[in-house]
Amino acid sequence: MVNLSFQVVLLLGQFFLSQKMKKIYYTSVKISLVLVYMVIVAGALVRMTGSGMGCPDWPKCFGYYIPPTYEKELLFAQDREFEKGQVIIHDEKLFVAKQDFTASESFQESDWELYTKHDYAVFNVYHTWTEYINRLCGALAGIACFAMAVLSFFYWRDKKKIILLSWLVVFMMGFQAWLGATVVYSVLNPVKITVHMVMALIIVAVILYILHLLKPKSNNSKKDTLFSSLLWVSLAFSLIQIVLGTQVRQFVDLQIKKIGYDDMSLILAEPPVNFYFHRTFTFLVVGIAIYMFLRNRKLQLGFSKMNWIMALFGLEVISGVAMYYLDFPFGMQTVHLVVASILFGVQFYMILENKLRKEEKN
């Protein structure tokens, strides 16, 4: 009788512990999602400020775990102690210390090896720390996703798919970090920047799918076939717009390098063809969203997030118009990119919500 009572208490303890840990897991998923979006925000700030090469090496920054704040920290000096892996700028080139040593009177090439991954050797303290903060956000997001994956094992008996998806996120975060390194080594290659952005959105989508799996079935059984199809069309068009927008942003970056920040009105004086396609495509994307908004209200489908989507599209249009007609006001590029990524997440989550509903013909 005592053994039976002990087993019952043990089973109850395991059950309540499991339920508690599942709640913690759910919280960890939401924290991971927020931190991934923080990485997107930080990345947008890096793009806006042109800080992508603020740290010319990876994963360290000029060979430091905490980057320098003064240029003199990156210059050769007599009697200065250097550590293995430390980076300096010498003759407009990057050199890496081969071992720990104390510098002699003159620069000795035997103590150094030339950094060969690229030839970018510029220090700007603001760019360096902007990029460094971006990397810190990425590291925090990676830790959060790893913790989420560990906690997912409490779903071993219930939903093994959650475990697989959680560890998939960890793998993708590692792949995303590798992509970030290739972007640096390529000196901000436009195609690699675009892939880096799309990968971030895929990670957001997988985390949202995990949240979807944890959500109970919807009591709302209304489901419209046309509306369901338009959800996918709208999401695909938004992704196309993001890719087009990234390409336009790459053109803007090149123009800024040529013209500088003194006369931003000249940046889009002769825009590329994809700019016109990006701008014209907006009418189609917004038009579909308006039609979906009206159909949702008419059929009373109950998709409350359509209000969010309309608000986000409004912000997208306003920020886009402001950049073109007001010569890129400070922060508008960041707002434009971040709102687009949030919009993508809301649209994808609406598709998942729609999956929970039973088919009902209208």
Side-chain angles (χ1 to χ4, degrees):
M1 187 68 180
V2 175
N3 289 336
L4 180 61
S5 300
F6 177 76
Q7 290 177 355
V8 170
V9 171
L10 182 62
L11 288 172
L12 286 174
Q14 290 176 342
F15 172 77
F16 286 116
L17 176 62
S18 177
Q19 294 302 111
K20 178 67 176 179
M21 296 309 293
K22 285 179 180 179
K23 289 181 180 179
I24 295 175
Y25 171 75
Y26 181 70
T27 302
S28 73
V29 175
K30 292 192 289 186
I31 290 173
S32 296
L33 180 63
V34 170
L35 288 175
V36 169
Y37 266 115
M38 279 185 61
V39 175
I40 294 174
V41 172
L45 287 171
V46 167
R47 293 297 309 279
M48 182 190 72
T49 57
S51 304
M53 292 302 295
C55 293
D57 49 333
W58 192 95
K60 293 183 179 181
C61 188
F62 287 104
Y64 293 90
Y65 286 109
I66 299 177
T69 53
Y70 299 99
E71 187 176 15
K72 67 179 182 179
E73 298 176 64
L74 296 173
L75 301 178
F76 177 85
Q78 182 181 352
D79 298 328
R80 181 179 170 186
E81 294 184 357
F82 290 97
E83 296 179 0
K84 183 179 180 180
Q86 193 169 337
V87 178
I88 65 167
I89 299 175
H90 183 73
D91 289 339
E92 298 183 352
K93 297 177 182 177
L94 294 176
F95 286 89
V96 184
K98 293 181 179 179
Q99 65 274 322
D100 297 349
F101 69 95
T102 301
S104 58
E105 183 177 351
S106 60
F107 180 85
Q108 302 293 326
E109 289 193 7
S110 58
D111 295 325
W112 304 89
E113 59 182 359
L114 182 67
Y115 189 80
T116 57
K117 293 184 182 296
H118 58 74
D119 58 0
Y120 186 89
V122 177
F123 174 72
N124 179 308
V125 63
Y126 302 108
H127 290 177
T128 294
W129 277 86
T130 301
E131 169 61 14
Y132 180 67
I133 291 171
N134 175 41
R135 294 186 184 186
L136 279 181
C137 290
L140 284 174
I143 292 170
C145 290
F146 181 75
M148 175 187 74
V150 172
L151 289 168
S152 70
F153 283 114
F154 284 94
Y155 279 92
W156 182 261
R157 294 182 179 179
D158 305 332
K159 297 179 180 178
K160 289 185 174 62
K161 183 187 287 188
I162 287 177
I163 300 174
L164 293 174
L165 289 172
S166 297
W167 284 100
L168 176 61
V169 170
V170 173
F171 171 79
M172 289 192 297
M173 288 295 290
F175 181 67
Q176 181 74 331
W178 176 80
L179 281 176
T182 62
V183 169
V184 172
Y185 297 150
S186 68
V187 194
L188 310 182
N189 178 277
V191 175
K192 291 183 179 180
I193 291 175
T194 301
V195 173
H196 196 50
M197 178 64 196
V198 172
M199 189 64 198
L201 296 178
I202 293 174
I203 292 172
V204 166
V206 175
I207 295 176
L208 287 173
Y209 185 57
I210 293 173
L211 286 173
H212 159 73
L213 293 175
L214 297 172
K215 190 175 180 180
K217 294 275 186 178
S218 173
N219 292 325
N220 193 334
S221 62
K222 288 188 176 181
K223 188 174 181 180
D224 176 57
T225 303
L226 177 58
F227 190 88
S228 299
S229 300
L230 289 176
L231 281 171
W232 282 103
V233 172
S234 182
L235 180 71
F237 282 4
S238 290
L239 187 58
I240 292 171
Q241 276 291 72
I242 289 172
V243 172
L244 287 172
T246 303
Q247 293 174 350
V248 172
R249 174 59 186 161
Q250 291 159 7
F251 172 80
V252 171
D253 289 343
L254 292 174
Q255 289 295 95
I256 289 175
K257 287 182 180 179
K258 294 178 182 177
I259 301 171
Y261 291 93
D262 296 331
D263 197 350
M264 296 295 286
S265 61
L266 298 177
I267 297 297
L268 289 176
E270 297 180 3
V273 175
N274 54 17
F275 165 78
Y276 292 108
F277 188 59
H278 178 61
R279 186 175 65 177
T280 304
F281 200 58
T282 301
F283 292 101
L284 176 61
V285 175
V286 175
I288 291 174
I290 292 173
Y291 176 79
M292 292 174 65
F293 176 78
L294 295 175
R295 188 171 182 84
N296 179 56
R297 292 188 63 178
K298 178 182 177 182
L299 301 179
Q300 297 182 342
L301 299 176
F303 287 98
S304 60
K305 290 184 178 62
M306 276 307 306
N307 297 326
W308 295 19
I309 286 179
M310 294 307 299
L312 290 169
F313 267 123
L315 283 173
E316 274 293 88
V317 172
I318 291 171
S319 58
V321 170
M323 282 191 290
Y324 184 71
Y325 290 103
L326 301 179
D327 302 331
F328 295 86
F330 182 79
M332 277 298 105
Q333 296 172 43
T334 301
V335 170
H336 199 64
L337 178 58
V338 172
V339 170
S341 62
I342 294 174
L343 178 62
F344 174 87
V346 175
Q347 288 176 309
F348 183 73
Y349 199 72
M350 279 186 62
I351 290 174
L352 297 176
E353 285 185 330
N354 190 55
K355 284 184 64 178
L356 292 174
R357 302 182 176 198
K358 296 179 181 178
E359 187 70 36
E360 180 175 295
K361 296 182 180 180
N362 295 284

